[in-house]
Amino acid sequence: MELHARGLAAGLCLGAALLGQAYAADKPPVKIGVLTDMSGTYAGMGGPGSVAAAQLAIDDCLAAECKGMKIELVSADNQNKADVGAAKAREWFDRDGVTAIADLTNSAVALAVQGIAREKNKVVMFSGPATTALTNKECSPVGFHWMFDTYSQSAGGAKATVKAGGKSWYFITVDYAFGHSLEADTAKAVKALGGTVVGSVRHPLNAPDFASYLLQAQSSKAQVVALANGGQDTVNAVKQAREFGIVAGGQRLVSLLIFLSDLRALGLESAQGLSYVDGFYWDYDDATRQWSARFEKAFRGLKPTMTQAGVYSSVLHYLRAVAASGSTDGKVVADKMRALPIKDPIMRNASIRPDGRVIHDMYLYEVKKPSESKGGWDYSKLVATIPASEAFQPLADSTCPLVQK
């Protein structure tokens, strides 16, 4: 009897192993590359945290739809340089067998990699860059803009600020594709709402000193000083704006793109009262809190930014599409990604449009006063929800060749 039981158990184990092998056999190996800013101005909002988020997505898919699949994760620093990012993307696609790239962080890098991915028929998913060109004239059938863009950041922020009396605007803008796009989209929204733009000034990426730019903003007498930059540039600009008395002098300071990592670097004393638009906040509901607790445990005790949350969402959806299609061919997987519903703890009311823009609800937040915070990561309070249908550029206005008019 004992020998029979052992034999039956061994047979069951062997059967399970063979079944697992057969289950995985129809699903090809996958290699995902996270191409991000590992040490520069955007490292806090993307960087190593994006790699950790991608690994969480892999773990979750392996426990479900991707069970038995071989999935490898690699990462590299794009150094916020388009040539560096492009060279790494080509190397990954041509030599290393990477099947998809995620994050990107920098708009100039993203635009360069978008063209290469289109040429190589490889899926690329943008969670960190903001330029709307990725889903307009530079769109791709295998490219997906996942979390936010300059339109989503400008629409809600401009509307709320103009409504509150901020009619005249002055921009302090980082001088490359991301900043140009963010300023242009916001200026368009401000003018459409009856406001005016009295001037702007541009600064280089990684600018340590904003004194001359802030003095020009002060002398403009604009009611709103808008920061069209991100990462450490935003942190430096906000800190120095407080020192120059921008807010104390009666001007309103608006950050058009700020991340949880930036708020942590600033502290509530410096950041209090800032209005900003976000696609993900860790304390939004039970689902975001539970996922953020997992991320925090996996990554240095830090809560995730919306870029890192977007990496998780995009990588998970990509893996589900590979599992469902049984292919890593770029077009096949991209078509399946568009067909599958997006279901995860990150985004609400999400779907993918023909131009590659992933639309979902966005949120207008305000940074709390120190007296309002319950401590720890309690930085912001929800002011309003911007529905998915309103948060992003209307499809009818897209210049993407994939969109049929």
Side-chain angles (χ1 to χ4, degrees):
M1 179 66 73
E2 185 178 346
L3 288 174
H4 177 73
R6 287 179 180 175
L8 181 60
L12 289 172
C13 289
L14 178 61
L18 291 173
L19 183 63
Q21 291 174 8
Y23 182 78
D26 65 345
K27 295 178 174 61
V30 176
K31 194 170 187 178
I32 296 170
V34 175
L35 188 54
T36 186
D37 177 2
M38 288 293 194
S39 57
T41 190
Y42 303 135
M45 62 91 156
S50 288
V51 181
Q55 186 60 58
L56 283 178
I58 292 170
D59 294 343
D60 287 350
C61 202
L62 283 172
E65 298 94 338
C66 300
K67 188 171 293 184
M69 284 174 58
K70 181 182 177 182
I71 304 174
E72 187 178 350
L73 178 65
V74 296
S75 61
D77 188 351
N78 63 39
Q79 300 177 37
N80 290 309
K81 296 177 180 177
D83 58 340
V84 172
K88 177 55 68 174
R90 286 192 181 278
E91 177 185 309
W92 275 353
F93 290 148
D94 293 342
R95 191 191 72 182
D96 297 338
V98 167
T99 58
I101 295 178
D103 194 1
L104 281 304
T105 56
N106 180 292
S107 290
V109 175
L111 288 167
V113 173
Q114 175 94 307
I116 296 168
R118 185 192 301 111
E119 171 194 335
K120 303 292 183 180
N121 188 34
K122 301 289 187 180
V123 169
V124 63
M125 301 164 287
F126 308 103
S127 296
T131 179
T132 54
L134 290 166
T135 51
N136 279 290
K137 64 180 182 179
E138 300 297 332
C139 71
S140 165
V142 290
F144 300 91
H145 205 164
W146 212 264
M147 179 52 75
F148 65 94
D149 59 29
T150 54
Y151 185 97
S152 70
Q153 299 311 114
S154 63
K159 185 175 181 179
T161 304
V162 172
K163 185 177 180 180
K167 297 285 188 179
S168 59
W169 289 56
Y170 188 93
F171 289 90
I172 297 177
T173 303
V174 63
D175 192 11
Y176 78 102
F178 152 61
H180 302 168
S181 182
L182 186 54
E183 178 185 329
D185 283 342
T186 307
K188 182 178 179 180
V190 167
K191 292 173 183 176
L193 292 163
T196 59
V197 175
V198 300
S200 65
V201 63
R202 291 179 174 175
H203 68 83
L205 186 65
N206 298 324
D209 186 1
F210 283 81
S212 64
Y213 313 124
L214 291 166
L215 285 171
Q216 291 179 63
Q218 275 186 319
S219 63
S220 74
K221 305 298 183 183
Q223 294 169 311
V224 179
V225 176
L227 303 177
N229 51 23
Q232 191 59 45
D233 284 333
T234 299
V235 172
N236 291 340
V238 172
K239 285 182 176 179
Q240 292 172 42
R242 297 292 182 189
E243 295 169 5
F244 275 79
I246 293 288
V247 177
Q251 291 176 297
R252 186 188 302 268
L253 186 66
V254 171
S255 174
L256 297 174
L257 183 60
I258 197 164
F259 297 89
L260 189 64
S261 52
D262 303 326
L263 298 180
R264 180 176 171 81
L266 283 166
L268 291 179
E269 193 63 45
S270 294
Q272 61 181 305
L274 273 177
S275 295
Y276 68 100
V277 174
D278 209 325
F280 174 89
Y281 183 59
W282 73 270
D283 199 26
Y284 178 75
D285 61 17
D286 287 343
T288 60
R289 284 188 284 272
Q290 290 168 10
W291 183 81
S292 296
R294 290 181 58 212
F295 179 91
E296 186 176 10
K297 185 176 180 180
F299 185 65
R300 304 176 185 175
L302 300 176
K303 295 291 188 188
T305 66
M306 69 167 161
T307 294
Q308 292 156 353
V311 170
Y312 170 87
S313 176
S314 62
V315 170
L316 181 60
H317 194 69
Y318 168 77
L319 290 173
R320 286 171 171 167
V322 171
S325 65
S327 173
T328 55
D329 177 85
K331 187 179 185 308
V332 171
V333 178
D335 288 346
K336 183 61 69 172
M337 289 174 71
R338 286 183 168 88
L340 289 175
I342 298 175
K343 294 182 179 179
D344 58 43
I346 306 304
M347 301 189 296
R348 304 293 174 269
N349 300 315
S351 61
I352 302 175
R353 300 193 318 199
D355 58 355
R357 177 65 260 178
V358 179
I359 65 169
H360 53 95
D361 292 348
M362 296 289 288
Y363 310 97
L364 180 64
Y365 282 97
E366 182 180 305
V367 180
K368 293 182 176 181
K369 299 175 183 177
S371 60
E372 295 176 310
S373 175
K374 298 175 183 176
W377 293 90
D378 186 24
Y379 292 121
S380 304
K381 55 188 177 184
L382 181 64
V383 176
T385 296
I386 308 168
S389 59
E390 300 175 13
F392 297 91
Q393 174 185 290
L395 190 58
D397 295 341
S398 176
T399 58
C400 172
L402 302 174
V403 177
Q404 295 187 8
K405 300 297 183 180

